[in-house]
Amino acid sequence: MAKDRSGAGDPVRTLELLWREPGEESRGGRRGPRQGLTVDAVVRAATGLADEEGLAALTMRALAQRLGVTPMTVYTYVPGKAELLDLMLDEAYRTMERRTVPAEAEARADPWRERVTRVAEENRALLARHPWIADLSVTRPPLGPGVIGKYEHELAAFEGIGFSDTEMDAALTHLLGFVHAAARAAADTAAHNQRQSDEDWWAVSAPLLERAMDPERYPLAGRVGEAVGAYNPETVWAFGLRCVLDGLAHLVERKPEAL
């Protein structure tokens, strides 16, 4: 099954929808066939469906049922699922909770590690609210106001550190890659725990492993595994973020102009 990705639709129509003026409710700016239904309402309904059931459940037919219209009616507002996904992603980015990075004069007194940590935590909260984003390939993100506003906000956390413009972009990409990986692992863990808790799994598996695992052959796996126990997303998050920040700090400290 092909992976859902952004930027897969008609780029011209997508940009028209992303940057539409207020009141442009349907194709060509005409009022849609159902009074009260708008592009925004379609996007909100699609987002709610994806939040609750995942991207696999998001079809134009399922969306039409949620809206109480026919699938053909939905197509008068968005050309297809590809364009809809871009609108959903841009809207999620536009409305995500974020703390304003201080002005340049104040940013120098605001440690860069704290600014970058805020960006990581904001994106972690976003993915917890909209888990489907982690399943969406965004190598070609929609260039709408939400995506560009998010990019502007997050780059400000790296401004003045001492990185070049291309390094700032790469550092942000590296950070967000870690956040997405951590969010996906946490979501997978939560899904598994819904089907069977860690306690129940270990209750069944531990006796078998104790008989099967030779401690002399697997000394490290046994020792570390016993110390760790069940997968803990919070522990992995804290350690991983520290590794990302320490790696960036190493690069910053090597630059004579670093702040």
Side-chain angles (χ1 to χ4, degrees):
M1 181 177 179
K3 181 178 177 64
D4 288 308
R5 62 186 180 88
S6 62
D10 179 348
V12 174
R13 184 63 185 133
T14 298
L15 287 173
E16 288 175 347
L17 286 167
L18 288 169
W19 293 94
R20 65 191 182 280
E21 295 295 330
E24 290 186 13
E25 298 176 344
S26 64
R27 196 173 188 88
R30 300 187 302 274
R31 182 172 296 278
R34 175 183 170 183
Q35 186 176 2
L37 189 59
T38 65
V39 173
D40 290 339
V42 171
V43 172
R44 285 194 298 269
T47 299
L49 181 57
D51 287 345
E52 296 166 15
E53 303 181 36
L55 284 181
L58 177 59
T59 64
M60 301 301 276
R61 182 173 296 279
L63 177 57
Q65 291 177 345
R66 173 167 288 221
L67 290 167
V69 299
T70 66
M72 289 307 299
T73 298
V74 177
Y75 284 111
T76 66
Y77 292 90
V78 292
K81 184 177 178 180
E83 293 82 2
L84 177 61
L85 288 173
D86 284 346
L87 291 170
M88 292 165 57
L89 183 65
D90 195 73
E91 180 65 9
Y93 283 177
R94 187 186 69 80
T95 58
M96 68 181 288
E97 294 184 6
R98 59 175 68 113
R99 292 176 57 186
T100 303
V101 176
E104 183 177 357
E106 299 176 357
R108 291 175 179 273
D110 188 27
W112 69 263
R113 290 179 72 111
E114 293 184 12
R115 304 200 306 265
V116 173
T117 296
R118 284 200 295 269
V119 169
E121 291 174 343
E122 289 165 357
N123 278 275
R124 189 189 190 197
L126 172 72
L127 294 174
R129 182 181 179 188
H130 303 298
W132 53 268
I133 294 178
D135 294 328
L136 184 65
S137 174
V138 292
T139 52
R140 185 180 295 171
L143 298 181
V147 168
I148 294 177
K150 179 177 184 288
Y151 188 51
E152 177 75 16
H153 167 77
E154 293 171 351
L155 285 175
F158 296 88
E159 179 76 339
I161 292 178
F163 288 151
S164 68
D165 287 351
T166 55
E167 288 171 334
M168 286 171 58
D169 177 83
L172 175 58
T173 300
H174 178 60
L175 175 71
L176 296 183
F178 158 72
V179 175
H180 277 239
R184 184 186 295 276
D188 288 344
T189 299
H192 280 297
N193 284 337
Q194 285 184 342
R195 293 190 292 269
Q196 183 182 40
S197 69
D198 284 332
E199 291 78 10
D200 290 342
W201 187 88
W202 278 111
V204 173
S205 303
L208 298 175
L209 289 173
E210 288 177 0
R211 293 196 300 269
M213 266 186 68
D214 182 354
E216 294 185 0
R217 185 176 182 183
Y218 307 107
L220 291 178
R223 190 190 78 208
V224 175
E226 183 177 358
V228 172
Y231 175 82
N232 188 323
E234 294 301 323
T235 299
V236 173
W237 169 264
F239 182 80
L241 181 58
R242 188 167 78 245
C243 288
V244 173
L245 295 173
D246 286 350
L248 294 176
H250 176 70
L251 296 175
V252 169
E253 289 163 3
R254 293 178 59 186
K255 291 177 173 288
E257 70 277 19
L259 299 178

